[in-house]
Amino acid sequence: MDRKVAVIGAGNVGASVAQYMAEANLADVVMVDIIEGMPQGKALDLTQAGPIRKYNCSVTGTNKYKDIKGADLVIMTAGLPRKPGMSREDLLNMNADIVGSAAANIKKYAPRAYVIVVSNPLDIMTYHMFKVTGFPANRVCGQAGILDSTRFRAFVAMELGVAMADVQAMVLGGHGDTMVPLPRYTTVAGIPIKELIPNDRIKAISERTRFGGGEIVKLLKKGSAYYAPAAATVEMARSILLDEKRLVPCSAYLTGQYGIKDIYIGVPAVLGAKGVEKVIQLKLAKKELSDLQKSAQKYKGVLKEIGY
Ligand code: APR
C-alpha cells in the first residue's frame, strides 16, 4: 500500500485501531509498543486474519520508534489507565511523559506525519503533542468528540428503536465531565430529537453520554473502553487519509474561536488531506457557550500542572 499509519501503543485501543484500519484496507499499519514481543504477536495474529477478513495491507509490530519512518499518519494511543491509589495528577504526569517521548520520536522519524491523539486526558495530551512536535496545529488533533457523539447517537437510536446510522449528533467541549452534548443539533434522519423524545429523557441521555466512558470502566472493572474509541479514531483517520472532508467534532487548536485561545478542545471541524482544515463556529446559546468556555478554563488549569 502507498499509505502508512503508525499506531503508538498496541494495547486495547491500539490493537483495535489496527484491526479496524486493516479491515477497511486503509493503510499499512505498524504498531509500536514498549512490551517486547507483544506488538509483533498481535500484528502476526491480525495478519493471519487477513485471508478471511479480506485485507491486503500489512500489519507489523515493533519495539523501535525508528520503524514509524515514512508514516503519513500517527495514532497515539499509548498511556496508562488510572490504578487504585493513583491520583489524577500521577496519571497526568505519567501519561505526559509517555506522550512527550512519543512526540519527540514522531518529530524525529515521521516529521511530515499528521497525528491523532487518543491518550488521556485527551485535550491535554493533544496540546502536549502539538507543543513537543512543534507541528503546525492543523496536523495535530485529538479524538474525543466522535466517540462522545457516537455514544449519544447509540443511546438515541436505542431510545427510539431506529437505525443507528440515521442518528446524527453533536457533542462539544472537553472529553470528560465538562463535555457539552448539543441536543439542538441532534437529529434522526433530519428530524430534531426534541420532536421525538421528551425533554426529561433527552436530559437523561445527555447525562449518560457525559459519563459514558465511566459506565464502561465500572462494568469492565479493569481498563477502559476500546471498541468505540478505536472505531471513532479510524473514522477520523479515514477522513484524513482519503481526504473525505468529514465534518466531525474533534479536539482542535483554537485561536480565538468561541472566545477561546491557545488550547485544544472539542469543536466541529472539517478533516481532510490537510488535517484539521477548518474549525466550524456554531452560533451557540448562552448556556452552551458558557459550558464550552468553562470546559476550556478547566483545561487551562490542568495544562499549568504539566508546565504550560
Ligand atoms: N511507547 C509505546 N507504548 C507504550 C509506552 C511508550 N512509551 N508506554 C506505554 N505503552 C503501551 C503499553 O505497553 C500498553 O500496551 O501503551 C499500551 C496501552 O494499552 P492499554 O493499557 O491496553 O490501554 P488502552 O485501553 O489501549 O488505552 C490507551 O487510550 O483511551 C485512552 O485512557 C486511555 O490513555 C489511555 C489510552
Side-chain angles (χ1 to χ4, degrees):
M1 283 220 153
D2 59 358
R3 286 187 294 267
K4 175 171 172 177
V5 171
V7 181
I8 316 296
N12 282 336
V13 176
S16 304
V17 163
Q19 180 188 348
Y20 291 146
M21 295 282 308
E23 295 205 333
N25 260 309
L26 276 179
D28 288 334
V29 180
V30 56
M31 288 187 282
V32 187
D33 203 289
I34 45 169
I35 301 177
E36 224 170 279
M38 186 270 257
Q40 293 87 341
K42 288 194 179 182
L44 192 55
D45 196 6
L46 275 169
T47 300
Q48 291 165 0
I52 296 172
R53 304 300 297 168
K54 302 186 178 56
Y55 45 82
N56 301 310
C57 49
S58 76
V59 184
T60 51
T62 179
N63 303 115
K64 295 194 180 83
Y65 271 102
K66 72 172 176 45
D67 296 327
I68 71 171
K69 216 169 169 187
D72 304 290
L73 175 68
V74 178
I75 297 175
M76 178 67 204
T77 78
L80 303 176
R82 191 156 25 155
K83 293 200 181 83
M86 211 186 233
S87 72
R88 190 180 54 78
E89 284 72 24
D90 292 339
L91 182 64
L92 180 70
N93 288 322
M94 287 166 92
N95 281 357
D97 284 350
I98 293 172
V99 171
S101 78
N105 279 295
I106 294 167
K107 183 178 180 175
K108 181 170 176 193
Y109 293 112
R112 289 208 300 271
Y114 288 77
V115 185
I116 301 174
V117 178
V118 188
S119 310
N120 272 317
L122 191 273
D123 304 276
I124 306 298
M125 292 304 125
T126 310
Y127 186 90
H128 191 35
M129 175 66 71
F130 164 63
K131 284 290 180 186
V132 178
T133 55
F135 289 179
N138 65 301
R139 276 171 47 199
V140 179
C141 60
Q143 183 288 117
I146 302 195
L147 170 60
D148 298 326
S149 55
T150 196
R151 284 183 173 143
F152 200 41
R153 292 169 69 187
F155 294 147
V156 168
M158 284 153 62
E159 179 82 8
L160 291 171
V162 299
M164 300 263 184
D166 281 343
V167 184
Q168 295 295 329
M170 185 52 72
V171 175
L172 304 183
H175 183 50
D177 306 355
T178 57
M179 79 177 71
V180 188
L182 295 180
R184 217 152 55 83
Y185 290 114
T186 300
T187 62
V188 181
I191 307 163
I193 54 165
K194 286 193 168 171
E195 293 183 24
L196 302 169
I197 305 176
N199 250 337
D200 58 327
R201 287 300 304 151
I202 294 180
K203 264 201 183 133
I205 292 170
S206 301
E207 275 312 281
R208 192 174 178 193
T209 302
R210 208 190 295 276
F211 298 100
E215 185 179 353
I216 292 174
V217 168
K218 214 163 152 194
L219 289 166
L220 293 180
K221 296 192 180 67
K222 59 178 192 200
S224 48
Y226 49 100
Y227 293 120
T233 307
V234 173
E235 193 86 330
M236 290 174 71
R238 181 187 186 95
S239 194
I240 294 172
L241 291 168
L242 304 185
D243 193 21
E244 287 181 331
K245 307 214 188 288
R246 299 280 310 275
L247 197 169
V248 293
C250 72
S251 187
Y253 186 70
L254 297 191
T255 53
Q257 300 94 329
Y258 298 101
I260 301 168
K261 236 185 9 207
D262 192 30
I263 203 165
Y264 269 86
I265 198 151
V267 288
V270 176
L271 295 185
K274 295 197 171 65
V276 180
E277 297 190 347
K278 200 192 282 178
V279 169
I280 306 291
Q281 285 212 68
L282 300 173
K283 263 204 178 141
L284 296 180
K286 242 189 184 166
K287 167 91 169 77
E288 292 164 348
L289 184 62
S290 73
D291 282 354
L292 182 63
Q293 290 175 338
K294 249 187 249 159
S295 189
Q297 207 47 46
K298 182 183 159 187
Y299 288 134
K300 284 262 185 208
V302 182
L303 281 172
K304 274 201 190 128
E305 292 174 31
I306 54 165
Y308 289 111

